[in-house]
Amino acid sequence: MSEDKIERNLFDEFGVKRGLRDFNGKGVLTGLTNISKIESSKVMDGKSVPCDGKLWFRGYEINDLVNGIGDRGFEEVAYLLLMGELPDREELDAFCKELNELRRLPQNFTRDVIMKAPGQDIMNSMTKSVLTLASYDDRVSDNSVENVLRQSMSLISVFPMLAVYGYHAYNHYDLGGSMYIHRPDPNRSTAENILYMLRPDQKYTELEARVLDTALILHMEHGGGNNSTFTTRVVTSSGSDTYSVIAAALSSLKGPKHGGANIKVVRMMNDIREHVGDTADEGEIRSYLEKIVDKEAFDRSGLIYGMGHAVYSLSDPRAQIFKTFVEKLAHEKGREADYQLYSAVERLAPQIIGEKRKIYKGVSANVDFYSGFVYRMLGIPLELYTPIFAVARIVGWSAHRMEELINTDKIIRPAYKYVGHHAGFVPYEERTPEEGCEEVLRDLEKGAATEAAGETGENTEKEAPEAVKERSEEKE
């Protein structure tokens, strides 16, 4: 295993940009796109300087889209990303009608697939469901743009069902909660249907639906270089089918470095409430944030979650937009004190990070800083945070998949330079195992023995009680 370790200086020696980003966080240019644009810096006097972040979808600034759309915002912006232009009333009506007609699962699919072997990881459940849906498509391998658009719209339509039903199955079979499956209502928007299917009483306020709709729009697309969208393009370039491509994108998004950041924010804020006596006292808040940065508190990673972004420096436009809606929802829910705490952390964290860390660009709150707070106010369980992200981002994935199919005829195949050693072959009987390998093998044997003991009933402790405990701790 020690042979897999590569010294950091070798990356610099050979000009390798780790993470496909340079020292300043700028991504390596790997393609061209008409879908979205991100701006985080401007060239002044021949030098690149940070600026307030901006985001465009198909040439339209995100602020204008959020402020100008109607009550079917998700659908309107999805049409824009997929078709390349904003719809008129007739086109939007036809698009929504088509999405509603596609928002149905094959007969017994919920029972036979979603409810079978449920688990806490809803992203895995969704991936399983997506791959299973491929077997119901007679044109699964047809990669014509027309067919891929059909497949994409179908998956966009059913993603809310895959997510919500996957959670209900887990909540019932693993946590002992009540089971209820509400069919989506064709007269409701995507955001409304998520709340309608998730809640036992199927009720929600107009503001709740509006805030969730905005959250979906802000998470819908973010350039071709983010990990899951780049995964979409890579797998598309191999000639694979839509279901496999989206399953790969889901597998990328579920990673905690990509789609799970808002969960970390929620847990960190819970920890702050627990250890700060007066959450209205900025001095106490600052003192505890300093401990977090110094790796003396919370998870001892030294990170204030929700702060900073791989692209943005001075500000994340999505966070700026979201904050206005968060304040309104916090007022409706009677959570003004929590909102003030979030605002204080947002204000203090960049100062503390700047004082204690050597940073090469500005630090500001990103969209994940507030999204977890919003989902909690909406009553969305922690297990659905990343799946809700996927419900939104599949639109962007679909747009990039089609653009890749239209414009590129080569498989994406970057290079890796070999920096290992060369050795002569040694016959089996003359080899001696390395100490590290022996230790790994012993650990594997120990793990296998423990698993076997569990199968024979010697250790039958289940994880569900821990999950229940964690969920109870998350509640306020």
Side-chain angles (χ1 to χ4, degrees):
M1 295 296 179
S2 60
E3 295 292 322
D4 290 333
K5 178 68 175 178
I6 298 176
E7 297 299 327
R8 289 289 182 91
N9 64 292
L10 290 178
F11 291 93
D12 296 330
E13 179 181 337
F14 294 107
V16 177
K17 295 178 173 57
R18 294 185 298 117
L20 295 182
R21 283 182 282 159
D22 64 18
F23 180 75
N24 295 314
K26 184 177 181 180
V28 174
L29 187 62
T30 58
L32 304 174
T33 182
N34 287 317
I35 297 169
S36 65
K37 175 186 176 182
I38 301 169
E39 181 180 272
S40 60
S41 63
K42 291 182 178 180
V43 177
M44 298 179 65
D45 299 326
K47 294 183 179 179
S48 178
V49 296
C51 67
D52 286 321
K54 291 187 176 182
L55 174 63
W56 290 265
F57 289 175
R58 297 288 189 180
Y60 295 92
E61 194 168 351
I62 190 66
N63 293 275
D64 296 334
L65 287 173
V66 171
N67 294 325
I69 55 174
D71 56 359
R72 295 179 291 180
F74 173 86
E75 290 77 7
E76 192 170 344
V77 179
Y79 185 101
L80 169 66
L81 289 173
L82 294 174
M83 309 300 181
E85 57 186 20
L86 285 169
D88 59 26
R89 172 63 64 180
E90 185 178 338
E91 290 170 332
L92 181 58
D93 288 343
F95 184 69
C96 290
K97 181 181 179 182
E98 181 66 18
L99 289 178
N100 283 325
E101 290 178 354
L102 291 169
R103 189 164 283 151
R104 55 169 59 92
L105 294 169
Q107 186 174 4
N108 297 328
F109 189 92
T110 302
R111 182 196 68 189
D112 295 341
V113 179
I114 299 177
M115 292 186 181
K116 190 172 185 179
Q120 184 177 9
D121 193 327
I122 311 303
M123 291 293 282
N124 280 350
S125 172
M126 293 178 71
T127 303
K128 174 184 67 175
S129 294
V130 167
L131 291 172
T132 306
L133 283 170
S135 63
Y136 292 86
D137 190 342
D138 293 334
R139 300 170 61 192
V140 60
S141 298
D142 178 357
N143 281 342
S144 64
V145 174
E146 295 77 14
N147 188 56
V148 170
L149 176 59
R150 173 190 66 83
Q151 293 171 327
S152 298
M153 289 181 63
S154 177
L155 288 174
I156 291 169
S157 297
V158 301
F159 252 44
M161 301 168 71
L162 300 183
V164 173
Y165 293 174
Y167 171 75
H168 284 325
Y170 159 70
N171 185 53
H172 175 66
Y173 289 109
D174 284 30
L175 302 184
S178 298
M179 167 64 77
Y180 49 89
I181 298 294
H182 298 151
R183 296 183 185 277
D185 183 345
N187 297 313
R188 301 176 195 267
S189 68
T190 297
E192 289 172 331
N193 264 312
I194 291 172
L195 297 174
Y196 177 79
M197 292 188 294
L198 180 62
R199 296 179 171 179
D201 62 3
Q202 303 174 303
K203 295 179 180 179
Y204 52 86
T205 67
E206 183 179 340
L207 179 59
E208 287 179 319
R210 172 67 166 144
V211 170
L212 182 55
D213 190 59
T214 302
L216 294 176
I217 294 169
L218 295 177
H219 286 86
M220 194 178 288
E221 159 63 8
H222 205 233
N226 69 79
N227 197 277
S228 59
T229 302
F230 188 59
T231 297
T232 298
R233 286 194 175 260
V234 170
V235 183
T236 293
S237 76
S238 75
S240 193
D241 65 89
T242 297
Y243 301 92
S244 298
V245 168
I246 298 303
L250 283 167
S251 299
S252 164
L253 184 66
K254 69 167 286 187
K257 292 182 180 180
H258 189 3
N262 51 19
I263 297 176
K264 282 285 192 179
V265 174
V266 169
R267 289 174 173 159
M268 178 188 73
M269 296 302 288
N270 286 343
D271 184 75
I272 292 173
R273 289 190 195 92
E274 184 179 338
H275 292 91
V276 173
D278 182 3
T279 56
D281 186 331
E282 289 201 359
E284 280 196 57
I285 297 172
R286 168 180 276 275
S287 177
Y288 196 70
L289 289 175
E290 289 175 346
K291 290 182 179 180
I292 291 177
V293 174
D294 290 336
K295 300 183 180 181
E296 297 174 359
F298 187 42
D299 63 358
R300 290 175 167 72
S301 67
L303 300 175
I304 298 179
Y305 293 99
M307 292 293 140
H309 191 273
V311 178
Y312 300 117
S313 53
L314 297 187
S315 65
D316 181 339
R318 302 168 300 170
Q320 298 299 308
I321 295 170
F322 214 16
K323 187 175 181 179
T324 61
F325 290 93
V326 174
E327 186 174 10
K328 294 176 183 177
L329 187 61
H331 178 73
E332 181 180 279
K333 298 287 187 179
R335 301 284 292 273
E336 289 91 344
D338 286 328
Y339 175 74
Q340 293 304 322
L341 174 59
Y342 271 81
S343 296
V345 172
E346 179 188 13
R347 185 170 56 257
L348 295 171
Q351 300 173 16
I352 295 168
I353 294 171
E355 294 167 3
K356 292 181 170 286
R357 291 281 187 270
K358 183 179 181 181
I359 54 177
Y360 55 85
K361 64 174 186 174
V363 175
S364 61
N366 57 50
V367 70
D368 292 314
F369 182 71
Y370 281 109
S371 63
F373 180 37
V374 166
Y375 295 157
R376 294 195 69 173
M377 287 192 289
L378 292 175
I380 295 173
L382 199 69
E383 294 87 352
L384 277 177
Y385 285 13
T386 308
I388 292 294
F389 192 161
V391 168
R393 187 55 64 86
I394 186 179
V395 178
W397 295 337
S398 299
H400 281 275
R401 170 161 166 72
M402 289 189 289
E403 188 177 63
E404 186 72 24
L405 288 170
I406 291 169
N407 293 286
T408 308
D409 60 356
K410 287 188 176 181
I411 188 171
I412 295 175
R413 207 291 189 190
Y416 274 70
K417 182 176 182 62
Y418 179 73
V419 292
H421 69 279
H422 294 84
F425 181 78
V426 178
Y428 178 83
E429 58 274 7
E430 297 177 18
R431 299 174 202 163
T432 55
E434 294 186 9
E435 183 176 344
C437 292
E438 284 187 319
E439 185 176 341
V440 170
L441 289 173
R442 284 196 298 269
D443 289 342
L444 288 173
E445 290 175 357
K446 186 184 299 183
T450 301
E451 186 175 337
E455 290 177 355
T456 58
E458 293 178 29
N459 183 6
T460 57
E461 183 179 357
K462 301 178 75 173
E463 292 185 4
E466 287 298 315
V468 174
K469 179 182 177 183
E470 180 178 331
R471 284 167 53 80
S472 65
E473 290 174 347
E474 291 290 335
K475 295 179 181 179
E476 294 183 296

